[in-house]
Amino acid sequence: MAKYVFITGGVVSSLGKGITAASLGTLLKKRGFKVSIIKVDPYLNVDAGTMNPFQHGEVFVTDDGAETDLDLGHYERFIDEPLSDQNTVTTGKIYSGVIEKERCGAYLGGTVQVIPHITNDIQERLTKAGEGQDVVIIEIGGTVGDIEGLPFLEAIRQMASRVGPENAVYCHVTLIPWLEAARELKTKPTQHSVQELRRIGILPNILVCRTSHPMDEGMKNKIALFCTVPPGAVIEVPDEPTIYQVPLSLHQRNLDGLILKYLSLPFEKEPDLSDWRLVVDRFMNAPRAVEIALVGKYVQHKDAYLSVVEALYHAGISHNVKIKVRSVESADVETQGVEAMLNGVNGVLIPGGFGSRGIEGKIATIRHARENKIPLLGICLGMQMMVVEYARNVCGLAGAHSQEMDPATVHPVIHLMEEQVGLARMGGTMRLGAYECALTPGSAAARAYGVERVSERHRHRYEFNNTYRRRLEDAGLKVSGVCVGRDLVEIVELPGHPWFLGGQFHAELKSRPVRPHPLFAAFVGATAQNL
Ligand code: GLN
C-alpha cells in the first residue's frame, strides 16, 4: 500500500508549494521509490481547460488529454514520469461525479452530504492513485483557511485513519515574513496558520518555512514550541535563484530523509543528484547567451507560457548556453513594427494561443524570420500562422487565413476540424492529448528526433487544410510530420532555412531539464550557430 505525503500551504499563496512537492518527488524517486503526485485544486471548474491564461497561467495537458493546472508540468518535469487525469482533482470534478451518482440512485435514497460522500469520494480517488506506488505526494491548492479548501482538508485528515498514521505525513509550507520596520522575521502568521490547521484536526509533522532572510536556531526553536513540532522538523527554505536548485536545497536540509523517517521507509541510501547539479551549474554559469523572442498575446502573465520557457531553458542547458527570453506582445509588433521589436534576437518562438487578437503581428514576425533566416519555432497556433504566412506571401493566396480569425476567409488554409463543427460545449472538447506522428525521413524534424515515429500532445480545434497541401509543398513549405492513421498535418518546415519549423502539437510539454525536447534542442542549437 502507498504512503502519503500531504502538502498544505499557510499565510499566503505563491509560496512554491508546487515546486516543493515536485522537488520532494524528485528526491524520493532518486532514492529508488515509486512516486506519484496529485494536485488538488479547490476551485469549482471541473478542470483547467476553460481557464483564461491571464488568470491562471498555462493549461498543462497530459498524454490522456486531461487539461490541468500548470503544477502538473512542474511535477512531470521534476519526477520525469508521465501523469494523467488521475493526478488532478478539483471541487468541480468531485462534485459533478457525486451528483451524477446521486442522479443514478447510487446512494439508495440517503441524504448526500459533504461528509461523508464528498470526503469519501476524495479519499477513494487518492487511494486509487496510490495503487502501484510507494509514495503519493498530494498538494492541496490554496491556503489553509479558504472556505472551499475545507472538504479536502477534512478528507486528508481522515486519510490518516484510513491508511494508518504511520503511512501519512503532513507537511505545511508557510511564510516567515521579514518586517523591514522591525528588521526581523516574524513567526506569528505561521503560528496562526498552524492553529487553523489544528482547529480542523490536522497536526502538521513538518513545517517548510519560506524566508527571504536566514532564520537562527532560536527562531526555529520558537516555531517548534508554538507549533508542536520537533525543532528538527522546522525546515528553512530560502528563495533560490532557480527552481532547479530547490531539490538540492531541500536535500541539503534533509526534508526527504525526515519524510522517509516519518513514513518508516528506509532513508539511508543517498540519492544521486549529479544530473540536477549539472543542470543548475549550466543554467547559472553557461558562458554564452542567446536571446529568443517569445511572440505571444499573454506575455504579461509570467506563467502563461511556462512550459515553453522551461523547454527553452532545458535546450539551453543541453547546449550550455544561457537563454534570454524577450517577451514580445504580438499586438505591439502591429503598432511598432517588426524590426523594432525583434532587433538583434537570435531566434523567434511563436507559442500557442486562441482568438484573433495580435495575429497579424505574429504573421509579420514569421515573415521577418523567414526572409531574414532567423531560426523560428512555431507551436500549435504558431505553426498554423506559419502556414497562413507562407500561403499569403509565397503562394500568392492573398486572402489566406485561419477560420479561427476570419470564419468567412477566402482561402481557409487552416480550418476547423470536422469533429469540432457545431460543438455547443467548451470544456474538454478540443483534440486533446497524445497522438502518434510519422516523420518524413531526411526532414529536419526526423533528423532532430532521430526516430521515425513520435508521440506528442495536442490541444487544438483547427488544423491544416489538406486542400492546400500540394500548393504549399510545391511552393517549398514541406510537410514533415503527419498523424498516424489520419490525414492530419502535424509538422511543416522550410528546407534551406537555418530552422523554420512548426508543430501542431505542444512539444514543450514533454521537455525535461535533463532530457530537452528534440525540436527545442535543435531550434536552440540553430540560434547558437552564429554566436
Ligand atoms: N487556437 C488554435 C486552435 O484551436 C490553436 C490552439 C493552440 O495554440 N493551442 O487550433
Side-chain angles (χ1 to χ4, degrees):
M1 191 188 61
K3 305 206 176 222
Y4 290 83
V5 181
F6 299 106
I7 301 192
T8 52
V11 184
V12 292
S13 58
S14 305
L15 282 180
K17 270 187 312 208
I19 300 291
T20 306
S23 302
L24 181 62
T26 309
L27 296 172
L28 297 181
K29 190 177 170 195
K30 295 251 178 217
R31 283 175 181 260
F33 296 103
K34 283 203 76 192
V35 184
S36 191
I37 314 189
I38 296 175
K39 175 76 192 282
V40 169
D41 276 303
Y43 48 63
L44 284 162
N45 305 60
V46 172
D47 59 35
T50 54
M51 289 182 159
N52 182 336
F54 275 127
Q55 252 189 45
H56 238 265
E58 77 170 10
V59 175
F60 190 82
V61 182
T62 53
D63 280 335
D64 63 349
E67 296 175 279
T68 76
D69 185 85
L70 51 78
D71 271 324
L72 266 83
H74 288 310
Y75 302 164
E76 277 206 358
R77 286 187 283 273
F78 274 60
I79 66 170
D80 198 9
E81 295 282 346
L83 302 176
S84 72
D85 188 44
Q86 257 198 6
N87 297 83
T88 162
V89 174
T90 67
T91 298
K93 198 175 186 179
I94 300 283
Y95 274 73
S96 53
V98 168
I99 292 169
E100 180 65 29
K101 278 202 250 169
E102 185 275 333
R103 292 287 81 186
C104 296
Y107 300 106
L108 304 173
T111 309
V112 184
Q113 295 179 297
V114 174
I115 305 171
H117 301 99
I118 294 294
T119 46
N120 280 351
D121 194 87
I122 296 168
Q123 290 179 79
E124 276 149 27
R125 282 175 197 263
L126 302 185
T127 309
K128 186 147 182 24
E131 285 168 9
Q133 306 291 342
D134 295 320
V135 182
V136 184
I137 299 167
I138 291 150
E139 179 195 347
I140 308 290
T143 307
V144 168
D146 296 345
I147 289 176
E148 54 192 15
L150 280 173
F152 291 104
L153 294 176
E154 172 58 18
I156 66 167
R157 184 190 71 78
Q158 292 180 17
M159 274 295 277
S161 325
R162 191 180 271 238
V163 299
E166 69 286 5
N167 295 322
V169 59
Y170 297 90
C171 184
H172 189 55
V173 182
T174 176
L175 178 71
I176 311 292
W178 171 260
L179 220 64
E180 191 51 44
R183 297 205 59 74
E184 58 178 9
L185 290 168
K186 289 291 182 189
T187 66
K188 193 70 82 191
T190 291
Q191 293 179 40
H192 281 161
S193 85
V194 171
Q195 272 167 20
E196 182 65 17
L197 261 183
R198 290 166 63 181
R199 197 178 61 76
I200 50 186
I202 295 175
L203 280 68
N205 305 101
I206 297 169
L207 298 178
V208 170
C209 300
R210 301 280 291 106
T211 62
S212 55
H213 289 68
M215 286 162 65
D216 60 24
E217 281 310 303
M219 173 152 294
K220 284 188 195 164
N221 290 338
K222 181 175 169 187
I223 294 172
L225 184 69
F226 280 103
C227 301
T228 329
V229 296
V234 179
I235 310 235
E236 170 190 355
V237 179
D239 300 337
E240 298 290 358
T242 153
I243 56 170
Y244 306 130
Q245 177 69 42
V246 179
L248 303 175
S249 158
L250 292 182
H251 177 61
Q252 203 189 349
R253 292 167 172 81
N254 196 31
L255 179 69
D256 48 336
L258 199 62
I259 297 254
L260 292 172
K261 241 187 210 170
Y262 272 107
L263 295 175
S264 313
L265 286 169
F267 53 86
E268 295 80 12
K269 190 175 157 270
E270 281 291 303
D272 176 8
L273 298 173
S274 46
D275 51 357
W276 280 88
R277 290 206 173 90
L278 184 71
V279 164
V280 173
D281 181 49
R282 287 196 164 186
F283 183 79
M284 300 298 293
N285 306 317
R288 303 173 304 160
V290 290
E291 189 171 16
I292 293 173
L294 176 62
V295 185
K297 64 188 265 194
Y298 316 110
V299 290
Q300 308 99 299
H301 192 295
K302 77 172 185 25
D303 288 339
Y305 302 113
L306 185 70
S307 293
V308 169
V309 174
E310 286 291 310
L312 286 173
Y313 289 159
H314 305 159
I317 288 164
S318 75
H319 288 286
N320 204 14
V321 291
K322 217 180 221 62
I323 304 284
K324 285 202 243 163
V325 175
R326 184 188 297 182
S327 296
V328 176
E329 174 62 52
S330 52
D332 292 347
V333 175
E334 293 165 14
T335 53
Q336 295 172 40
V338 65
E339 279 84 9
M341 301 303 290
L342 297 188
N343 184 22
V345 296
N346 304 96
V348 175
L349 193 148
I350 316 267
F354 293 84
S356 59
R357 185 174 65 79
I359 223 67
E360 293 302 329
K362 288 187 181 169
I363 294 172
T365 303
I366 293 165
R367 178 175 200 165
H368 179 82
R370 181 174 56 75
E371 292 179 344
N372 294 289
K373 299 218 179 305
I374 302 170
L376 179 137
L377 177 62
I379 305 272
C380 204
L381 181 68
M383 172 269 197
Q384 296 175 354
M385 291 310 110
M386 287 166 79
V387 174
V388 170
E389 189 279 324
Y390 210 81
R392 280 189 194 174
N393 300 326
V394 183
C395 297
L397 297 170
H401 234 312
S402 156
Q403 285 180 337
E404 183 174 19
M405 287 87 213
D406 177 4
T409 178
V410 193
H411 291 296
V413 290
I414 301 296
H415 66 165
L416 193 61
M417 297 176 73
E418 210 180 318
E419 66 265 34
Q420 298 287 327
V421 177
L423 284 182
R425 271 165 47 117
M426 282 279 283
T429 53
M430 279 186 261
R431 178 174 180 245
L432 290 166
Y435 289 90
E436 271 206 89
C437 169
L439 307 173
T440 307
S443 61
R447 284 198 306 277
Y449 279 108
V451 290
E452 287 171 8
R453 272 189 186 201
V454 292
S455 168
E456 294 286 359
R457 297 181 188 169
H458 300 73
R459 183 171 185 253
H460 63 113
R461 284 194 183 89
Y462 293 83
E463 64 171 340
F464 184 106
N465 183 349
N466 284 317
T467 314
Y468 293 91
R469 177 165 170 180
R470 193 63 204 278
R471 207 149 162 186
L472 283 152
E473 291 215 88
D474 286 349
L477 189 71
K478 301 293 181 202
V479 170
S480 57
V482 177
C483 182
V484 174
R486 175 173 185 169
D487 201 11
L488 192 163
V489 171
E490 297 278 20
I491 309 178
V492 295
E493 62 182 72
L494 188 58
H497 189 284
W499 183 267
F500 188 91
L501 183 146
Q504 182 55 79
F505 44 82
H506 288 271
E508 72 276 18
L509 303 179
K510 293 189 72 171
S511 182
R512 307 282 178 262
V514 289
R515 203 158 26 80
H517 190 282
L519 296 183
F520 276 80
F523 164 62
V524 168
T527 68
Q529 271 307 306
N530 303 322
L531 285 185

